[in-house]
Amino acid sequence: MKIDGKHTRSIWLEPDGWSVGVIDQTLLPHRLALLRLAALEDAARAIRTMQVRGAPLIGAAAAYGLCLALRADASDQGLERAYATLLATRPTAINLKWALDEMMAAVRQQPRAQRIAVGYRRAGEICDQDVAINQAIGRYGLNLIEDIARKKKHGQPVNVLTHCNAGWLATVDWGTATAPLYLAHDKGITVHVFVDETRPRNQGALTAWELGQHGVPHTFVADNAGGHLMQHGLVDIAIVGTDRVTAHGDVCNKIGTYLKALAAKDNSVPFYVALPSPTIDFTVADGLAEIPIEQRGPEEITTVTGRAADGRMATVRVVPDGSSVANYAFDVTPARLVTGLITERGIIAATRTALEGTFPERAAAAR
Ligand code: MRU
């Protein structure tokens, strides 16, 4: 997608052909700073600290992280160590494990001398595959937007609510939840997006920045505004991303997604989840019981970071000293609250039958 009109992906190989470039997302939307990852630990740190974030991008960064590790040590032990280090960076998004498993399957059987080249090739394919998946999700999701637009009076916008950032910054390009929005906007459909702030990390600010760069009209709202907006008929459709979808269609996504789904159900607002197939975890049957929910540091809740009046980044405390804090990063929305899953193979029901029927090879591999 575009930064200042220039096409950019969220992750790329640097001109040296081996180190990896990413955008430091902890500084956006206030400052655009690029990072160069040159070693396993750089990649692991970038994922852990959320300089790179979003399920598909975490997977892509881990894939390249394994390549960087191979450059230093291409032995079996080095490979296993790198796999374990990267897998431990964040627990919830299954794309991380998916990408690492894909990489291991590609390089493990290779002689040591071949592993680096094969690894980089596979990591590049994982990135390109993500882009293709998101474009396909975009095309299917566009049909939903067009259906709503047809029922609107001329010039009235299709109002979409989204949570967190499931945009191009969270993927390699296009985004999952945002791909239909970009396609609709480019087609001349008037789309307007309500962007949830998404405390504590404010990923909504990333979504707002992306949409702004592409010229998509949007309104930034506090996390708790969604229910009110839906009650007043201001939301035509909710589209969110996901970090892991179970075999039965339960959706794990950024904390607060469940509450949006409940409000959507109560107000008969269609609630869709944009789901790239690497985010399906057919080994999990019960999302609530089995998906590990990341708990992050209390400082993410007790403080807010942003741009001060003098232009400098500043962090201020917003919680009284001494209060105990819990920082749950994700929640699980039961399949019964999900209107449909927008996948790269079409829009399907959030059910085991539909998921297995649409992705039989993934279901079989998990057995
Ligand atoms: O903690 P984050 O910012 O990595 O969480 C991101 C989300 O929850 C996204 O909605 C999800 O990864 C889907 S991104 C296409």
Side-chain angles (χ1 to χ4, degrees), residues 165-231:
N165 172 260
W168 71 261
L169 287 166
T171 64
V172 177
D173 206 349
W174 286 94
T176 58
T178 54
L181 312 180
Y182 290 128
L183 286 181
H185 175 80
D186 291 350
K187 227 181 151 182
I189 298 168
T190 313
V191 180
H192 166 262
V193 187
F194 283 109
V195 179
D196 284 351
E197 175 186 26
T198 318
R199 276 283 289 152
R201 294 289 299 223
N202 297 339
Q203 287 94 331
L206 302 177
T207 303
W209 181 77
E210 272 191 27
L211 293 171
Q213 290 286 331
H214 202 83
V216 181
H218 58 278
T219 302
F220 196 79
V221 290
D223 279 328
N224 294 324
H228 169 81
L229 295 174
M230 293 187 216
Q231 283 177 320

Side-chain angles (χ1 to χ4, degrees), residues 50 53-56 58 90 163-167 170-171 176 203 241-243 253-254 330:
M50 294 175 64
R53 45 145 299 282
I58 291 171
R90 293 195 73 188
H163 191 64
C164 194
N165 172 260
T171 64
T176 58
Q203 287 94 331
T242 173
D243 292 81
N253 190 46
K254 181 53 56 192
F330 298 94

